[in-house]
Amino acid sequence: MNANELETSEALSKSERRRARILQILMSGATSQIRDLAEALGVSLMTVHRDLAELEKEGLVRRLRGAVSAEKSLLFESSYNYRGRKQVEEKRRLARAAVSKLQPGNAIVCDDSTTTYHICDFIEEMTPLTVITNAVPILDRLRTMPDIDLIAAGGRYHAGYNGYFGAICERAIRSFHVDVAILSTTTIQGLSLFTPDETVVRAKQAMMEIARRKILLADATKFRFTALNYVAEITDFDLVLLTGDVPPANLEMLRKAGVTFELV
């Protein structure tokens, strides 16, 4: 990489981090003055307006008369399109590792996460399989794949998560028993998993209830943020697959808690 490419790469990294920080600030649902955002970030108004323009194109924020708010249905963790472009190679490594733990003939359940989606890239290696999911992208990807018995856990469609949720979905999930649940999480704090939306919590918990084995997929960014709603303990999983620069302190905590994990 030459000097110009390096400079461009670093600039992109800074802008991405800045936009993630803007979304964090707005996740409370409060409206913020754009001038206040510029001051909090230590950048110019012009820079903030550029960042907001990009986020607005993604449908994540809305600007009005010098103020900005997050679109409540498309917050940082609930925008499937936004999440889907982050840590793609890490997600693919996690998904490949998860598929390697399956056996032909297994019945599996998968959540709506953009990490779990990437099992579709490798799942043909382990067919025939039964796959149950509430995630529209997984349903779309697998519906024509040979030797996949695909079951949709329907319910109320949520555009931000691009999946089905609610009481109907949860009842559908609980009507099955599967060999493996493959799940991801918004964040890991200590030994606990959290996510912003309680609707997503209930679907994930239902999937965990019906599985003989549970596999969690998490890249290093999951240890950096917080979220409101408790999902489960990381010790509830039979295997935790991790990738990226997971802080050593977190790895040591997992070891002390007796968590079975692999770095992939």
Side-chain angles (χ1 to χ4, degrees):
M1 181 180 290
N2 62 36
N4 289 335
E5 291 173 330
L6 181 60
E7 184 177 349
T8 300
S9 175
E10 289 175 349
L12 286 173
S13 177
K14 285 180 183 178
S15 65
E16 286 291 322
R17 288 198 299 269
R18 214 170 41 243
R19 289 167 198 164
R21 177 60 182 146
I22 288 170
L23 289 167
Q24 276 189 296
I25 292 170
L26 298 176
M27 276 182 73
S28 65
T31 297
S32 295
Q33 295 298 312
I34 294 174
R35 286 187 179 277
D36 293 339
L37 282 177
E39 184 176 339
L41 296 167
V43 296
S44 69
L45 273 173
M46 184 179 294
T47 297
V48 169
H49 276 292
R50 279 200 302 265
D51 289 336
L52 293 175
E54 289 299 316
L55 294 171
E56 199 166 33
K57 281 196 287 188
E58 299 289 340
L60 294 165
V61 303
R62 183 170 46 138
R63 289 183 289 178
L64 180 65
R65 297 177 184 172
V68 61
S69 64
E71 292 287 4
K72 286 187 178 292
S73 65
L74 294 171
L75 291 174
F76 178 62
E77 269 301 323
S78 59
S79 168
Y80 194 93
N81 290 336
Y82 186 88
R83 288 181 291 140
R85 291 196 299 274
K86 307 304 174 186
Q87 289 81 44
V88 172
E89 286 309 311
E90 290 91 338
K91 291 172 182 178
R92 282 175 54 81
R93 286 202 299 272
L94 290 166
R96 183 190 289 275
V99 169
S100 74
K101 308 300 180 182
L102 304 178
Q103 297 292 329
N106 278 169
I108 70 173
V109 65
C110 306
D111 68 6
D112 65 298
S113 72
T114 57
T115 301
T116 304
Y117 166 77
H118 287 285
I119 68 167
C120 300
D121 298 338
F122 312 105
I123 203 166
E124 279 187 293
E125 301 169 9
M126 289 297 173
T127 56
L129 291 168
T130 298
V131 179
I132 302 166
T133 187
N134 63 334
V136 170
I138 295 178
L139 292 168
D140 284 346
R141 183 84 178 273
L142 297 185
R143 63 189 174 87
T144 59
M145 191 173 290
D147 298 320
I148 295 287
D149 183 13
L150 186 61
I151 300 173
R156 186 180 296 277
Y157 178 71
H158 191 300
Y161 296 112
N162 205 5
Y164 298 100
F165 297 90
I168 294 172
C169 173
E170 293 154 29
R171 283 199 297 272
I173 292 168
R174 289 192 173 96
S175 68
F176 299 102
H177 179 73
V178 301
D179 298 292
V180 183
I182 302 176
L183 309 176
S184 188
T185 182
T186 299
T187 184
I188 301 169
Q189 294 295 309
L191 296 174
S192 301
L193 278 56
F194 292 86
T195 199
D197 195 321
E198 63 179 322
T199 301
V200 176
V201 169
R202 294 194 298 269
K204 288 180 186 289
Q205 289 175 340
M207 291 177 182
M208 294 178 69
E209 288 173 20
I210 68 167
R212 183 171 57 85
R213 295 183 65 234
K214 295 171 279 293
I215 300 175
L216 178 68
L217 314 183
D219 64 73
T221 64
K222 306 302 182 181
F223 295 89
R224 299 176 190 166
F225 299 104
T226 61
L228 181 63
N229 296 286
Y230 173 82
V231 180
E233 293 298 296
I234 201 166
T235 51
D236 294 332
F237 289 84
D238 299 282
L239 175 63
V240 177
L241 299 173
L242 301 170
T243 192
D245 296 323
V246 180
N250 292 98
L251 294 178
E252 183 59 25
M253 185 181 298
L254 297 181
R255 290 189 187 97
K256 286 182 178 180
V259 176
T260 301
F261 69 88
E262 295 178 14
L263 292 167
V264 302

